[in-house]
Amino acid sequence: MRIVRRPSRRIIAGALYALLLLVGIAMPTSYIVQSPGPVLDVTGEINGTDILKVSGTDTYASDTDLLMTTVTATGNADHGVPGVVAVGALVSRNLQLVPVRALYPAEITSDQIRERNQMLMDFSQDTASAVAFETAGMEVSMTLTIAGVPEDSPAFGILEEGDVLKEIGTDDTKGFVTITTFMDLSGVLDAAPAGSDITLKIDRDGEEQTLTMTTRGFEPDTTGWVHPGSMLGVFVEVTDVVLPTNVDYVVEGIGGPSAGGMFTLAIYDAVTEGSLGGDATIAGTGAIAWDGEIDPIGGIRHKINGARDAGATDFIAPAPNCPETIGFEPDGLNIWSVRTIDEAIAVVEAVESGDTSSLTPCADVESTS
């Protein structure tokens, strides 16, 4: 008689556990894996076409390589990576596991994210062109319109949505300064201490009005730094931007605003004589604002690793991002803190000169949050 032995309950349970484990590691998780993304020399070419080309004005060749850095995300707003990928990220220094909902609200789809990132990329290119030309001394103009006045603003009840800013005056300006660009406005406000009385000439529904108000100061940022000068405390929309010449970009498959600072440097280098950074290879990141400030971005640890792997010796970082780099600095990469395009230009020029003693290393910038 043949005796057939049934598997023990322990063996069955073990087999079921193994099966469930295999299914589990293959199923999507609620995490995205971030890693260093492509690094592009914005002064170079893609398939024989300039990534960034200024036309219609005199331009100058440069030996400086200016690298924009990116982050690659595996997974998306609709679903995360498989479990096996998530586990792998836990044991890799170059990979970072991030909850999907820490990056994207539940109501936003992947298609909406891609559309938003493309809009931000387009905006960064427009802003970079305007800031670069104006910084180089070329003529730029735009219209600044009040887009909103919060109730806690010192301008509440004085300025209104739709007001077009025309001129600004303080005791120091000894008259009015015409507001042709955002830099015109911020230049006056940066020199006015918090609590200054200012006078604004505006266009409201086709009629010119003269208004007076008192400015307020800035709050400290995440590093404890306080922006100099004062602010109106309003939202401003920029339209009708007129540039002195054209800039064409060839950047496909990359979205977001974080290349704005490097675009600005490359355009500035193209329209000014000589090589801004000599023959150096300098990478960086940071969104560019209409007033020339360089704003913080995400994923800087991955970007500094990508920069070093691409051969950069120096990296330009927004000051608020600097605390994130401490302890993660790649060997051989100097990471410099900046807050404005003028400071970014100073970094590139200092690297070219070989004297970086006046620069602020990211390691010297600490977070207060």
Side-chain angles (χ1 to χ4, degrees), residues 224-244:
W225 179 80
V226 178
H227 193 293
S230 56
M231 61 191 301
L232 300 179
V234 297
F235 299 106
V236 177
E237 179 184 18
V238 174
T239 58
D240 306 322
V241 179
V242 178
L243 302 178

Side-chain angles (χ1 to χ4, degrees), residues 23 87-88 97 99 285 316 331 333 362:
V23 172
V87 171
L97 205 59
T285 189
I316 297 171
D331 291 339
L333 184 69
C362 258

Side-chain angles (χ1 to χ4, degrees), residues 206-219:
E207 295 185 3
E208 183 178 290
Q209 295 191 27
T210 301
L211 309 173
T212 58
M213 61 168 288
T214 303
T215 64
R216 74 178 182 195
F218 291 84
E219 295 294 325

Side-chain angles (χ1 to χ4, degrees), residues 146-347:
I146 302 300
V149 185
E151 292 186 3
D152 62 348
S153 167
F156 186 75
I158 302 173
L159 290 172
E160 297 180 2
E161 184 176 347
D163 289 345
V164 178
L165 300 175
K166 293 294 188 179
E167 299 180 49
I168 183 172
T170 68
D171 290 340
D172 290 336
T173 60
K174 296 180 172 45
F176 285 92
V177 174
T178 302
I179 302 174
T180 306
T181 66
F182 209 110
M183 283 189 176
D184 293 332
L185 175 63
S186 63
V188 173
L189 291 173
D190 287 352
S196 294
D197 293 328
I198 64 169
T199 304
L200 292 166
K201 288 186 178 182
I202 65 162
D203 183 305
R204 178 176 294 171
D205 298 326
E207 295 185 3
E208 183 178 290
Q209 295 191 27
T210 301
L211 309 173
T212 58
M213 61 168 288
T214 303
T215 64
R216 74 178 182 195
F218 291 84
E219 295 294 325
D221 69 9
T222 55
T223 68
W225 179 80
V226 178
H227 193 293
S230 56
M231 61 191 301
L232 300 179
V234 297
F235 299 106
V236 177
E237 179 184 18
V238 174
T239 58
D240 306 322
V241 179
V242 178
L243 302 178
T245 189
N246 298 321
V247 183
D248 295 312
Y249 297 86
V250 180
V251 181
E252 297 181 356
I254 299 174
S258 64
M262 298 310 291
F263 287 149
T264 308
L265 286 172
I267 298 168
Y268 178 85
D269 193 14
V271 298
T272 55
E273 294 187 28
S275 299
L276 188 62
D279 60 358
T281 299
I282 301 172
T285 189
I288 190 72
W290 290 110
D291 60 358
E293 292 193 3
I294 294 182
D295 295 329
I297 45 71
I300 194 166
R301 291 179 186 173
H302 304 300
K303 293 179 178 181
I304 57 178
N305 284 326
R308 189 67 193 98
D309 290 344
T313 58
D314 295 83
F315 190 96
I316 297 171
N321 287 129
C322 281
E324 301 172 56
T325 70
I326 297 175
F328 293 89
E329 303 92 337
D331 291 339
L333 184 69
N334 302 308
I335 308 175
W336 306 110
S337 166
V338 301
R339 299 184 186 276
T340 67
I341 191 60
D342 288 336
E343 292 181 0
I345 292 171
V347 167

